Amino acid sequence: MKVVTTSIPATSLPSTLGVVLAGGLARRMGGGDKPMRSIGGRTILERVIARLSPQCDGLILNANGDPGRFASFGLRVVPDDVPGFPGPLAGILAALDWTAANRPEIAWVLSAAGDCPFLPRDLVGRLHEARARENAQLAVAASADQSHPVIGLWRVALRDELRHALVVEDLRKIDLWTARYPLATVTWPAKPLDPFFNANTVEDITEAERLAALDATS
């Protein structure tokens, strides 16, 4: 499988690899792959890829199990290498390790949840700008007075520290790890729709259909 590569806009922003995190167990959805659910005639994953591709210098997919189920999307599938489904930090670590080994010229990785179909089109740019302005090591997104730490910028150089936290310290919560570093938080408006709405339940799919109609007119 190839890596989908795109060119970020001609700005001073550093090249950034995007990773779509799809390694969850989707228990609230009854199992299966949440990003493969359809909204408005397109899978959630298609929508995520369409939002991130113009902003990133390549995309990969973090997922466990048979990678063949994602073959039609043309993304390199990178599984966790920390056993036991320890959560999104393991997916972020897998992306940092893959980037260091395969794209050593890239110093930053943007992570995004694979069940967020309405991600902002200025996500990478605003996170980088805030990170640089605040001299932060990491940057995460927020909306409606809520932080979304799974959606953020990660410095590849921190991968050994992250592995130690996961494997040696058994740390699982993203916000506990990000609290160790200077962190920039960037807030997006939640109206007319929250760009970080995520489809966690069957009921959320119904709401996502309504929001997709709003998104199409924005």
Side-chain angles (χ1 to χ4, degrees):
M1 299 176 196
K2 65 181 180 179
V3 178
V4 174
T5 57
T6 59
S7 297
I8 62 173
T11 70
S12 59
L13 297 177
S15 294
T16 303
L17 186 88
V19 57
V20 180
L21 302 174
L25 300 178
R27 292 188 180 96
R28 282 182 284 177
M29 194 78 79
D33 294 302
K34 288 186 291 184
M36 304 294 271
R37 301 295 178 107
S38 290
I39 294 171
R42 301 169 68 195
T43 65
I44 298 173
L45 183 54
E46 285 179 275
R47 291 175 177 272
V48 173
I49 291 170
R51 291 301 178 101
L52 294 183
S53 288
Q55 304 183 56
C56 297
D57 189 38
L59 289 180
I60 60 175
L61 179 68
N62 165 245
N64 300 299
D66 180 10
R69 66 194 193 277
F70 298 108
S72 63
F73 296 97
L75 299 182
R76 173 79 64 178
V77 179
V78 179
D80 298 348
D81 75 346
V82 178
F85 297 103
L89 276 177
I92 292 167
L93 174 61
L96 298 183
D97 284 343
W98 188 92
T99 303
N102 297 277
R103 301 292 301 276
E105 78 280 8
I106 292 180
W108 293 94
V109 167
L110 179 282
S111 67
D115 59 359
C116 289
F118 311 118
L119 291 166
R121 293 182 173 89
D122 59 353
L123 179 62
V124 175
R126 287 194 62 195
L127 288 176
H128 267 304
E129 288 163 6
R131 185 266 311 163
R133 182 174 62 250
E134 300 177 30
N135 195 28
Q137 292 265 35
L138 307 168
V140 297
S143 64
D145 298 319
Q146 179 181 355
S147 177
H148 307 291
V150 77
I151 301 171
L153 278 178
W154 313 92
R155 189 184 289 274
V156 176
L158 295 177
R159 63 195 182 91
D160 290 338
E161 294 174 35
L162 177 54
R163 180 171 294 279
H164 184 276
L166 267 171
V167 176
V168 178
E169 301 175 43
D170 197 34
L171 186 143
R172 295 293 180 262
K173 291 185 177 295
I174 297 180
D175 53 359
L176 292 181
W177 193 67
T178 59
R180 300 178 177 186
Y181 303 92
L183 175 69
T185 300
V186 183
T187 300
W188 273 261
K191 301 293 184 181
L193 64 83
D194 189 332
F196 306 112
F197 172 90
N198 61 321
N200 268 323
T201 67
V202 174
E203 291 75 19
D204 287 341
I205 294 294
T206 301
E207 175 64 5
E209 292 280 358
R210 185 186 73 82
L211 295 176
L214 281 178
D215 185 58
T217 61
S218 63

